[in-house]
Amino acid sequence: AKIPLHSGKHLYLIVWKLYQELSQSDQTSIKKSGFPSQTDFALLEILHRLGPQTIKALGDRVRLTSGSITTAIQRLEKQHYIHRRPNPGDRRQTFIHLAHHGRASLELALEAQARHLESAFAALDSDERAEFARLCMKIESTHPHA
């Protein structure tokens, strides 16, 4: 059956295809920067932006199970991108910190990613970018969350 032009399903398919293409392109860019996965990159970016976090908080932000976040943390620790420190106020809690090596590597990767994403949206002028952002936020704010 043909999908009606500009119907909800048609618009969803356009957004889905755009997301898939941008995500694949971003993943390739991240790998070129030396990070094996978008998840590792995202964890380091969160630590860079928000500062030290608990393992649970990091897992919640990137939507990983406790087993998967533990594996990711161990992988990043082996690469000397992060280190663990106990919470001085509650020794049962451990904070993950971005190590110097992780910060330096991430900052180079973030610069490369910014250039890459700028080129991905180069077809839009500043007014179109603003309108695109406004429309996306409008849909996000009115969509019921499960």
Side-chain angles (χ1 to χ4, degrees):
K2 188 172 179 171
I3 298 171
L5 187 64
H6 302 144
S7 66
K9 186 166 186 162
H10 180 242
L11 295 176
Y12 172 79
L13 290 172
I14 290 170
V15 170
W16 179 81
K17 183 178 178 188
L18 175 62
Y19 169 76
Q20 293 297 319
E21 289 179 15
L22 288 174
S23 181
Q24 182 62 44
S25 178
D26 189 44
Q27 188 171 6
T28 299
S29 173
I30 288 168
K31 282 185 179 182
K32 283 182 184 177
S33 294
F35 293 94
S37 73
Q38 284 178 308
T39 300
D40 289 0
F41 183 81
L43 290 169
L44 296 177
E45 192 276 333
I46 289 166
L47 292 170
H48 184 264
R49 188 168 33 88
L50 300 178
Q53 301 286 308
T54 64
I55 294 172
K56 181 177 179 347
L58 284 170
D60 289 347
R61 287 195 177 275
V62 292
R63 298 182 179 180
L64 290 178
T65 65
S66 62
S68 295
I69 189 66
T70 299
T71 301
I73 294 298
Q74 289 170 347
R75 184 174 53 247
L76 291 169
E77 208 170 20
K78 283 180 187 174
Q79 296 170 325
H80 307 288
Y81 287 145
I82 61 167
H83 56 268
R84 302 173 198 230
R85 287 193 189 145
N87 178 353
D90 182 354
R91 307 269 307 157
R92 296 169 298 173
Q93 196 175 48
T94 300
F95 279 97
I96 306 303
H97 293 255
L98 188 58
H100 178 73
H101 174 66
R103 183 175 310 281
S105 298
L106 181 67
E107 286 175 355
L108 291 173
L110 285 170
E111 290 173 18
Q113 183 194 38
R115 286 189 304 273
H116 175 76
L117 291 174
E118 273 305 311
S119 70
F121 287 96
L124 301 179
D125 65 30
S126 62
D127 289 340
E128 290 169 327
R129 287 177 181 218
E131 181 67 2
F132 179 76
R134 186 187 71 75
L135 293 171
C136 288
M137 289 187 291
K138 182 177 182 178
I139 292 168
E140 181 183 18
S141 71
T142 60
H143 185 281
H145 296 88

